[in-house]
Amino acid sequence: MANPNIAGLSNIYGKVAGQAIGTSAAAIVTNSSSSGKIYKINSLIISNVDGTNEADVTATVYKNQSTEYHLVKTVAVPADATLVVISKDTTIYLEENDSIRLTASAASDLEAVCSWDEIS
């Protein structure tokens, strides 16, 4: 597993993913172990689609698919509101074999949208 030098990059592709967040941790974006790529995470936005109840979200960076580091932990997202976890002001990089995983306190109340640059 190598960490590519982004100074010598030749391609940048914009990517986006969306998903409903369940009560078990699930990855919204994963950089595979032998991709030869770096992912620059530009934004991660959590929306509460429940019109009545708030729900908590936990977002983690899962380094080398073995160690979790919290971006947010059990942060309440009010009904019909959004939470910006990562923005252009707080971008992070995912190296090979890293992912961002999400968990909610209530199934189907929260949705996430993540955008990133895939750099190779």
Side-chain angles (χ1 to χ4, degrees), residues 41-88:
I41 307 300
N42 297 314
S43 67
L44 175 61
I45 302 167
I46 311 298
S47 297
N48 187 331
V49 296
D50 185 310
T52 306
N53 302 305
E54 76 174 26
D56 295 341
V57 65
T58 297
T60 60
V61 173
Y62 202 47
K63 293 292 293 172
N64 203 28
Q65 302 305 319
S66 63
T67 306
E68 285 188 318
Y69 298 98
H70 290 88
L71 296 166
V72 295
K73 185 172 181 177
T74 59
V75 173
V77 182
D80 291 333
T82 59
L83 170 69
V84 177
V85 178
I86 298 172
S87 71
K88 280 285 201 180

Side-chain angles (χ1 to χ4, degrees), residues 3-120:
N3 189 14
N5 179 354
I6 62 175
L9 65 93
S10 59
N11 297 300
I12 300 175
Y13 299 102
K15 302 283 187 169
V16 66
Q19 74 182 39
I21 306 172
T23 56
S24 297
I28 189 166
V29 60
T30 300
N31 190 355
S32 68
S33 63
S34 59
S35 70
K37 301 172 184 172
I38 290 286
Y39 290 179
K40 180 182 178 192
I41 307 300
N42 297 314
S43 67
L44 175 61
I45 302 167
I46 311 298
S47 297
N48 187 331
V49 296
D50 185 310
T52 306
N53 302 305
E54 76 174 26
D56 295 341
V57 65
T58 297
T60 60
V61 173
Y62 202 47
K63 293 292 293 172
N64 203 28
Q65 302 305 319
S66 63
T67 306
E68 285 188 318
Y69 298 98
H70 290 88
L71 296 166
V72 295
K73 185 172 181 177
T74 59
V75 173
V77 182
D80 291 333
T82 59
L83 170 69
V84 177
V85 178
I86 298 172
S87 71
K88 280 285 201 180
D89 296 329
T90 60
T91 60
I92 63 171
Y93 290 92
L94 292 184
E95 299 174 50
E96 291 180 330
N97 213 32
D98 293 349
S99 61
I100 294 178
R101 300 187 337 167
L102 304 170
T103 310
S105 62
S108 302
D109 281 2
L110 301 178
E111 295 178 348
V113 175
C114 183
S115 72
W116 68 95
D117 295 330
E118 180 183 277
I119 303 169
S120 60

